[in-house]
Amino acid sequence: MFLKLFLRSENGFYNLYLNEVKVKTPEKQLFDFTNKIYPKLILSEIKNSKLKNLNESIYYNIYSLAKDKISSDKFKYIDEVLKYVNTDLICYWEEQPKEIYSLQVKYWKSQLNKLEREDLYFNYTTDIMPIVQNVQSIKHLKEKIVNLDYISLSCLLMITQLTGSILLGYLYLTNKIKPENLFKNAYLHEIWQSEKWGIVEEENEKRNNNLKIFKKIYKLIKLNYENPK
């Protein structure tokens, strides 16, 4: 039996209840949503996925991170996500085999081109040595990220941790890449290997689960832009 929560409005705020007790963050803060669309995402996720625990909810975890952590120390988490920039997935290419190189050109180079249109210039390499990216581009990227609200920052951190790419995460948060394309970029090598040598079921299941997470986050991103604070 999945969790049975209900939504209640009080004094202009919306909160979820479980057995007449308000649902709180892991650090015991009230959510106090000002728009009911956000808690309704948790409700629908729990019902559709038949979740038995709150911490299984992607939306609950995103909102909790935003409320407990990011809202109290925004720049700490911006610096945390920016640590990925010099080891970003789409900046480390393989020259061989040629099929992989062609896929990198098709997928990763097109994402780097999108960033360049925003004056964000990031180099890629086929060398094993780490890249030190352009300081001005990193600064410019940080300026853009600073303007994101807490929920968007929480989404960015989750996407970056899942993909190993802040650049893909930023493009995703700004609606320049869709879920299926994010999936193909994030797992370019793994998908190629699966098609070439066969699927490893456990790895395939993990990737497909992450695709579901990407889609849930995309839904939240769209709602967040359509309903600005």
Side-chain angles (χ1 to χ4, degrees):
M1 182 67 70
F2 60 86
L3 288 171
K4 289 190 176 180
L5 306 179
F6 64 92
L7 184 61
R8 182 179 289 168
S9 173
E10 297 172 315
N11 302 316
F13 294 108
Y14 296 90
N15 280 290
L16 293 170
Y17 282 76
L18 176 62
N19 298 327
E20 294 297 328
V21 177
K22 284 184 181 180
V23 172
K24 297 180 180 180
T25 70
E27 294 187 5
K28 309 304 180 186
Q29 292 197 72
L30 291 173
F31 284 104
D32 285 339
F33 294 104
T34 56
N35 192 321
K36 66 181 178 182
I37 63 169
Y38 298 111
K40 284 181 72 174
L41 284 178
I42 299 178
L43 287 175
S44 62
E45 182 187 18
I46 288 172
K47 182 178 179 181
N48 293 337
S49 301
K50 296 181 172 58
L51 303 182
K52 297 179 181 179
N53 296 296
L54 268 174
N55 59 13
E56 295 176 14
S57 165
I58 297 302
Y59 296 125
Y60 174 78
N61 289 325
I62 288 171
Y63 299 147
S64 294
L65 176 60
K67 189 81 174 181
D68 283 344
K69 305 296 184 182
I70 296 175
S71 65
S72 61
D73 199 347
K74 178 178 181 177
F75 286 95
K76 173 185 175 181
Y77 288 91
I78 290 173
D79 289 339
E80 185 72 26
V81 78
L82 280 169
K83 288 179 182 178
Y84 285 81
V85 77
N86 285 318
T87 58
D88 198 279
L89 172 73
I90 66 171
C91 295
Y92 289 85
W93 294 26
E94 293 179 18
E95 286 185 292
Q96 298 292 336
K98 290 296 184 183
E99 290 174 72
I100 283 288
Y101 188 80
S102 296
L103 287 170
Q104 291 164 160
V105 172
K106 179 180 179 180
Y107 288 100
W108 291 356
K109 188 65 169 70
S110 65
Q111 306 314 321
L112 293 171
N113 289 342
K114 290 176 187 176
L115 292 165
E116 287 181 6
R117 289 195 282 272
E118 295 189 42
D119 294 325
L120 296 168
Y121 298 94
F122 293 97
N123 297 318
Y124 64 92
T125 183
T126 56
D127 200 344
I128 60 171
M129 298 301 292
I131 307 170
V132 178
Q133 295 287 6
N134 182 278
V135 173
Q136 283 303 116
S137 288
I138 296 173
K139 181 181 177 182
H140 192 29
L141 178 61
K142 183 174 183 178
E143 289 169 352
K144 291 176 177 290
I145 292 173
V146 165
N147 291 323
L148 297 176
D149 61 76
Y150 300 147
I151 291 177
S152 295
L153 281 171
S154 186
C155 292
L156 176 62
L157 184 59
M158 185 175 288
I159 288 292
T160 301
Q161 289 173 337
L162 286 172
T163 64
S165 175
I166 184 176
L167 302 182
L168 289 177
Y170 170 75
L171 290 169
Y172 201 55
L173 259 291
T174 52
N175 201 28
K176 296 179 181 67
I177 184 171
K178 299 295 188 289
E180 289 78 8
N181 204 9
L182 174 64
F183 180 78
K184 289 176 182 177
N185 277 275
Y187 297 110
L188 184 149
H189 292 83
E190 292 90 339
I191 293 170
W192 178 81
Q193 288 170 354
S194 295
E195 291 173 350
K196 192 81 173 176
W197 311 113
I199 293 174
V200 177
E201 201 56 48
E202 184 177 338
E203 293 178 1
N204 188 55
E205 184 178 344
K206 181 181 177 182
R207 290 196 298 271
N208 287 335
N209 183 60
N210 285 346
L211 177 57
K212 292 177 183 177
I213 294 173
F214 296 161
K215 289 180 177 179
K216 288 180 180 181
I217 292 175
Y218 187 71
K219 184 175 182 179
L220 176 55
I221 291 167
K222 289 186 70 177
L223 285 172
N224 209 31
Y225 278 107
E226 291 167 2
N227 299 272
K229 305 296 180 294

